[in-house]
Amino acid sequence: MTDAERQIRNKTAIVGVGYTPVLRHAQRSLGAIAMDAALDAIADAGLKREDIDGYVGTPSGPAAAGGNPDGVGQISAPYLAGALGIQGLRFSVDIVGLPSTALEIAIHALYGGLCRYVLLLRAMYSAPDGQRSTGSGTRAAGPAQFTLPYGLSGGGPQFALGLQRYMHEHGATREELFAIVDAARTHAQLNPVAYWHGKTLTLEDYLNARFIYQPLCLLDCDLPVTTAGALIVTTAERARDLPHRPAYVSGFAGTAPGKETVFELSGVERKDVDAAQIYDGYSPFVWYWLEQLGFCATGEAHAWCQDGRIKLGGELPVNTAGGNLGEGHFQGFGHLREGTMQIMGRCGDRQVPGAKNCLVAAGQPTSSRSRHAIMLSAL
Amino acid sequence: MLQAERPVPAEDLDTRPYWEAARRHRLELPRCEDCGRFFFPPRPRCSACLSTNVVWTGLSGRGTVYSFCIVCVPIVRGIEPPYVVAQIELVEQQGLRLVANVVDCHPNDVRAGIPVEVTFEDLGDDCSLPQFRPSGASTDAL
């Protein structure tokens, strides 16, 4: 463990949350929705906008087909600061990355003393035409020249290839995969803002759903939505004086092989994890993450997840707000928010009683791009 | 015509030999003369040892289906679903994989692990795509 990694344990905490309903398509502008989330988070933390002196945004929108005008398809730092009338940001950055990456930057900015209260924001836009990734264009340049002419575009088919291989190597079945979707959908019934709230799902429904990228069916894929969420992050000293029980960042790890795990960095053992929010843009991600995190051996997650083990009341409740599959495509922001709210004890009917440690796994588990395992803890 | 709208490879300096070989209906990949490994996609340096001592080398065109999926929705203009997208692992080297369609067989007959061989799909006069079909299959059989 490097000094920096050791020293950031419990030095910062998430102290406020704001979020809006998850809608397929919104009638209001994304700018208005983002403002709501930001103002709710600031108030939730017991702060005023004048207190906010740091901002980390992840503006790059998924609405690629329609372009991403500021305030419509994405929200930039200057847009939001202007809309909220926040002046005097001492630290402000828009990043290309995950909401977890934004948290990582906020942690370091706070630890380095660059600012006192950081607002994190993620706003998702689902264009009315529904198109996010399109294989348009007639010339495939760069790496795409070896994939696009074959009809391979976007992440979905790639993940279908991964799933098919996993099923081939480990004997996993779609009936077993349903456990992931089932847990997400079941938990979404306890989350009033979830897109799938009020809409239950049976195994029969799942197996009858049409294939998108066989073996992935429609219900294995998260749903494009419009929504916004915000978090307030501050130092441990300041967190103690605020209204809610802080969700301390006890560990923050990449997932490169051979590097320290989030369990080592946080000092929290796997058996002491009360709930896990695991990125589920596509259902099999949860299997891969559980194996990478060491909750079970490689090739065993499909069996490990059966019999209610990952549902509320089970050994390791996963995606207690529904995750991407139950709540909507939020690129992991919903996972961070739910982990925070579990530690704060504010999850109502879906609260894990006495939750002290909540693991958040962010990003695509098989990607070489950044992905993170974060431990949020009560002290 | 749908075929005319279908995306075609935009060659660059590093990838042109691949597509030039394909036009001659040959499968060639860069091979590092220092460490002996093939690599893909083509780059100016070996991705294992970073050597620039790279030679384009012909392959047998034989491989196995490492994995595959059936794309059931239209996601690329000019390519009508359903179709099979597969990762083909070439016999020359473990882990050496290309993406291609599995052709000359019904999508439901594709399985991970089946042996396949290269075939070439000509898209007009100046573009040919390496594709793969189950070993022993021929276009005559369809």
Side-chain angles (χ1 to χ4, degrees):
Chain A
M1 195 175 347
T2 68
D3 285 349
E5 285 167 332
R6 188 184 302 112
Q7 288 170 4
I8 65 171
R9 183 194 290 182
N10 297 330
K11 290 294 196 294
T12 56
I14 304 173
V15 295
V17 301
Y19 53 95
T20 69
V22 180
L23 304 170
R24 188 79 173 91
H25 307 293
Q27 299 299 311
R28 304 169 64 215
S29 77
L30 193 64
I33 292 168
M35 275 184 71
D36 280 355
L39 290 172
D40 284 354
I42 294 167
D44 190 58
L47 300 172
K48 298 183 172 61
R49 67 175 174 176
E50 292 75 20
D51 296 317
I52 302 301
D53 58 358
Y55 177 86
V56 187
T58 48
S60 55
N68 291 310
D70 209 2
V72 179
Q74 64 175 23
I75 303 295
S76 72
Y79 179 94
L80 196 75
L84 296 181
I86 293 181
Q87 294 161 357
L89 285 175
R90 299 166 67 201
F91 180 76
S92 170
V93 60
D94 278 327
I95 64 161
V96 177
L98 303 165
S100 57
T101 315
L103 176 61
E104 182 178 30
I105 291 168
I107 291 167
H108 288 287
L110 289 162
Y111 185 68
L114 301 182
C115 49
R116 301 172 304 157
Y117 301 99
V118 182
L119 172 65
L120 302 190
L121 184 97
R122 182 68 176 127
M124 300 293 290
Y125 177 66
S126 176
D129 65 8
Q131 290 297 314
R132 280 184 173 171
S133 81
T134 57
S136 57
T138 54
R139 286 169 53 81
Q145 68 189 283
F146 300 106
T147 54
L148 197 58
Y150 297 97
L152 177 58
S153 172
Q158 296 275 10
F159 303 131
L161 290 167
L163 173 60
Q164 184 80 255
R165 183 68 196 180
Y166 185 97
M167 294 168 81
H168 175 73
E169 282 187 20
H170 306 302
T173 65
R174 294 193 61 236
E175 285 78 359
E176 289 175 315
L177 190 55
F178 175 66
I180 307 298
V181 183
D182 183 33
R185 190 66 78 92
T186 301
H187 296 160
Q189 304 314 310
L190 304 172
N191 175 8
V193 303
Y195 178 80
W196 292 110
H197 181 72
K199 305 181 196 79
T200 56
L201 183 74
T202 66
L203 174 62
E204 191 181 9
D205 296 334
Y206 174 76
L207 294 176
N208 287 334
R210 66 187 170 98
F211 283 115
I212 303 298
Y213 313 112
Q214 188 178 346
L216 288 172
C217 76
L218 183 69
L219 301 171
D220 292 311
C221 312
D222 60 7
L223 184 82
V225 295
T226 297
T227 190
L231 298 174
I232 306 295
V233 194
T234 190
T235 58
E237 294 73 22
R238 293 184 178 93
R240 283 192 280 271
D241 300 328
L242 297 174
H244 297 295
R245 179 194 306 157
Y248 291 93
V249 181
S250 54
F252 194 109
T255 56
K259 297 287 192 289
E260 291 79 4
T261 67
V262 71
F263 308 103
E264 292 165 329
L265 291 172
S266 64
V268 175
E269 296 181 43
R270 287 177 187 81
K271 67 176 174 57
D272 295 323
V273 175
D274 298 296
Q277 314 302 334
I278 299 181
Y279 188 64
D280 59 339
Y282 293 85
S283 55
F285 287 3
V286 175
W287 285 350
Y288 312 148
W289 263 121
L290 286 168
E291 293 175 5
Q292 288 194 10
L293 291 165
F295 285 98
C296 54
T298 300
E300 291 184 354
H302 60 102
W304 195 86
C305 290
Q306 303 305 305
D307 304 320
R309 187 179 236 150
I310 60 170
K311 282 186 171 178
L312 281 164
E315 179 182 331
L316 182 71
V318 169
N319 292 342
T320 48
N324 274 31
L325 293 170
E327 189 173 54
H329 177 206
F330 211 173
Q331 291 196 327
F333 194 94
H335 295 75
L336 268 180
R337 183 214 63 225
E338 177 69 4
T340 300
M341 290 181 65
Q342 285 285 350
I343 297 301
M344 289 177 166
R346 301 167 66 189
C347 288
D349 291 343
R350 64 178 193 274
Q351 178 67 42
V352 175
K356 284 199 67 178
N357 299 296
C358 197
L359 183 61
V360 181
Q364 299 162 14
T366 54
S367 169
S368 55
R369 296 164 66 181
S370 65
R371 55 191 194 275
H372 302 113
I374 302 154
M375 193 73 75
L376 301 176
S377 299
L379 290 188
Chain B
M1 295 290 290
L2 287 175
Q3 191 78 348
E5 296 176 10
R6 178 175 173 170
V8 295
E11 304 173 7
D12 55 51
L13 205 58
D14 295 328
T15 66
R16 184 157 299 137
Y18 181 85
W19 297 112
E20 282 179 348
R23 279 191 282 275
R24 291 181 277 116
H25 289 198
R26 283 176 51 81
L27 184 65
E28 293 185 6
L29 288 179
R31 184 169 184 264
C32 174
E33 292 294 288
D34 288 346
C35 74
R37 293 185 65 79
F38 286 99
F39 56 94
F40 186 82
R43 297 186 189 93
R45 287 177 183 271
C46 168
S47 46
C49 73
L50 299 183
S51 167
T52 54
N53 188 10
V54 169
V55 174
W56 284 85
T57 307
L59 291 97
S60 68
R62 290 183 292 115
T64 56
V65 172
Y66 179 79
S67 193
F68 72 99
C69 69
I70 304 174
V71 177
C72 304
V73 294
I75 54 172
V76 174
R77 190 162 53 186
I79 305 182
E80 290 299 306
Y83 56 91
V84 173
V85 172
Q87 292 165 298
I88 307 298
E89 180 150 317
L90 300 169
V91 295
E92 278 78 6
Q93 183 176 302
Q94 190 177 15
L96 182 65
R97 292 178 208 136
L98 314 176
V99 165
N101 304 120
V102 177
V103 298
D104 297 351
C105 79
H106 193 280
N108 291 343
D109 293 334
V110 178
R111 296 283 180 276
I114 63 170
V116 290
E117 62 191 19
V118 74
T119 180
F120 290 87
E121 179 181 6
D122 295 327
L123 302 179
D125 293 336
D126 55 357
C127 177
S128 187
L129 296 181
Q131 298 281 25
F132 286 81
R133 63 186 177 192
S135 295
S138 73
T139 47
D140 296 338
L142 280 185

